[in-house]
Amino acid sequence: MKEVAIVIPNYNGMQYLETCLTSLARQSFRDFTVYLVDNGSTDQSRSYVAEHFPEVKWIQLDQNYGFSRAVNEGILHSIEPYIVLLNNDTQAEETFVEELLQGIRRHPKAFSAGAKMLSWQERDKIDDAGNYYNMLGWAFARGKGSAETRYQKEQKVFTACAGAAIYRRSLLEETGLFDEEHFAYLEDLDIGYRARILGYENWFLPEARVYHVGSGTSGSRYNLFKIRYSSRNNIYLIYKNMPMLQLLLNLPALTLGFLAKLVFFASKGYGREYAAGIKNGFSISRKKENRAKKVRFSFGHLWNYIVIQWELFLNVFRRFLR
């Protein structure tokens, strides 16, 4: 059995696959299996991979089920004790897998560990150095657009970005897999949040480096799909992970944060779509199957909730000081 499974979701991403898979073929650490999960692509992805990368294990889905379902299929088809999730629009440096594996092993309580994601277009700039969430209900990528030299320290973060991160299979079995209701966006924040409630950690590993095109499947930074799903999933994430007392404590800040985002997106012509996403978020939170997914409060995890709440407060300031 190999040590690491690398799971790559793909949807009409043939233009990225040569770069992504070639970079994996050049890794310093070779004890891994690549699982490519295809979300019903209509381009030539499958024939291209079969011809040029026959060692890749292909998992075919009949339609586009989104990121969460795709990576779950890859996890379930694999058996390796460590799982690396990697976006198809990436290029990994030669020590990427080795650094991820060594990094997560250094931290026994680590649920996940994320790579330093660098901008494809500006390779000295950060794309993601760990994901954060705050009491305003804002999720953000640490360091985005900043010089990569500012982010050289290995440290704990709120959650890891699933675009380039490693997970322990044993802990995924404890937290449960990615929530497929998310389809795309904030699914990595949700699963990392659940792990935090259980007392586990998420780390940033600056020596594991990968270049990321960004929005390779969904399009530009601001688009109707992304805005609607992000606001929808944000409501659902809050419902799932915050017990009632914590929700009431954060409610004034959350209200302010969502109103500020509504004004921001309205100024860009996306206000209606953002509001529709919020409404849809409340709707999916009421679904019977999603109510069953709500993390049940336990006094045994009280200290973890206190730590999380303190970070939600601090992350308001981190959002503006990054």
Side-chain angles (χ1 to χ4, degrees):
M1 182 178 68
K2 301 285 188 180
E3 190 75 6
V4 176
I6 301 179
V7 176
I8 303 172
N10 180 67
Y11 177 65
N12 289 335
M14 191 181 75
Q15 61 181 315
Y16 305 114
L17 293 179
E18 179 181 6
T19 299
C20 179
L21 295 176
T22 298
S23 73
L24 293 179
R26 295 172 177 167
Q27 290 296 298
S28 58
F29 176 86
R30 300 294 308 151
D31 194 24
F32 62 80
T33 304
V34 178
Y35 299 83
L36 197 150
V37 187
D38 188 75
N39 261 321
S41 293
T42 56
D43 64 5
Q44 300 303 309
S45 291
R46 184 167 193 172
S47 58
Y48 175 80
V49 171
E51 179 180 355
H52 297 281
F53 299 93
E55 70 281 5
V56 170
K57 294 186 181 297
W58 186 275
I59 301 168
Q60 184 65 55
L61 305 182
D62 61 346
Q63 59 180 287
N64 186 6
Y65 292 102
F67 180 90
S68 297
R69 168 73 180 274
V71 297
N72 283 350
E73 291 287 345
I75 293 167
L76 292 170
H77 276 78
S78 64
I79 58 173
E80 293 81 355
Y82 293 94
I83 299 156
V84 171
L85 302 185
L86 184 65
N87 282 2
N88 61 356
D89 58 338
T90 56
Q91 180 183 32
E93 291 195 350
E94 289 184 5
T95 59
F96 167 73
V97 179
E98 182 178 0
E99 291 289 348
L100 283 180
L101 182 58
Q102 290 180 355
I104 197 168
R105 282 175 167 170
R106 279 195 294 273
H107 305 289
K109 293 185 67 178
F111 168 73
S112 70
K116 178 188 283 187
M117 300 182 74
L118 300 162
S119 169
W120 183 273
Q121 297 80 10
E122 298 180 90
R123 296 200 161 204
D124 60 342
K125 299 290 181 63
I126 291 288
D127 184 61
D128 191 295
N131 288 350
Y132 280 92
Y133 194 65
N134 64 32
M135 61 193 299
L136 294 168
W138 295 356
F140 58 96
R142 174 173 170 260
K144 191 173 184 68
S146 301
E148 69 105 357
T149 52
R150 293 178 55 194
Y151 296 87
Q152 306 284 35
K153 181 182 177 182
E154 183 168 308
Q155 65 181 78
K156 284 187 279 189
V157 291
F158 195 81
T159 62
C161 174
I166 189 168
Y167 298 80
R168 280 191 166 92
R169 180 181 299 277
S170 59
L171 298 188
L172 282 168
E173 291 171 354
E174 188 173 343
T175 62
L177 299 185
F178 288 81
D179 189 339
E180 295 176 13
E181 184 66 72
H182 280 275
F183 190 85
Y185 304 118
L186 303 187
E187 69 290 316
D188 46 7
L189 186 62
D190 170 63
I191 200 169
Y193 200 138
R194 280 185 269 147
R196 294 291 309 277
I197 292 170
L198 293 175
Y200 298 115
E201 301 166 348
N202 301 295
W203 283 79
F204 165 65
L205 305 176
E207 298 303 316
R209 296 159 57 92
V210 62
Y211 301 95
H212 182 220
V213 174
S215 301
T217 296
S218 63
S220 61
R221 182 177 180 184
Y222 298 125
N223 58 72
L224 297 180
F225 174 85
K226 185 172 183 178
I227 290 167
R228 184 160 190 166
Y229 268 90
S230 294
S231 58
R232 163 195 186 269
N233 292 347
N234 201 359
I235 295 292
Y236 179 48
L237 179 145
I238 293 166
Y239 164 76
K240 278 185 63 182
N241 294 292
M242 285 191 186
M244 182 58 67
L245 183 60
Q246 188 180 26
L247 179 58
L248 292 174
L249 177 65
N250 289 308
L251 189 58
L254 289 170
T255 302
L256 177 62
F258 276 94
L259 284 174
K261 286 276 189 176
L262 179 61
V263 171
F264 172 79
F265 284 116
S267 72
K268 294 185 174 296
Y270 296 122
R272 181 174 297 179
E273 203 66 22
Y274 183 77
I278 292 174
K279 180 180 178 182
N280 196 11
F282 282 107
S283 295
I284 64 171
S285 298
R286 290 195 296 267
K287 290 166 64 174
K288 182 178 180 180
E289 59 269 31
N290 290 336
R291 292 202 305 271
K293 297 176 189 175
K294 183 172 175 62
V295 178
R296 302 303 172 190
F297 175 79
S298 167
F299 279 104
H301 299 145
L302 180 60
W303 176 249
N304 301 333
Y305 281 108
I306 292 171
V307 171
I308 289 169
Q309 183 59 41
W310 176 242
E311 289 189 33
L312 292 177
F313 171 73
L314 290 180
N315 291 344
V316 174
F317 303 97
R318 287 179 174 139
R319 173 62 181 83
F320 297 104
L321 295 175
R322 63 194 173 119

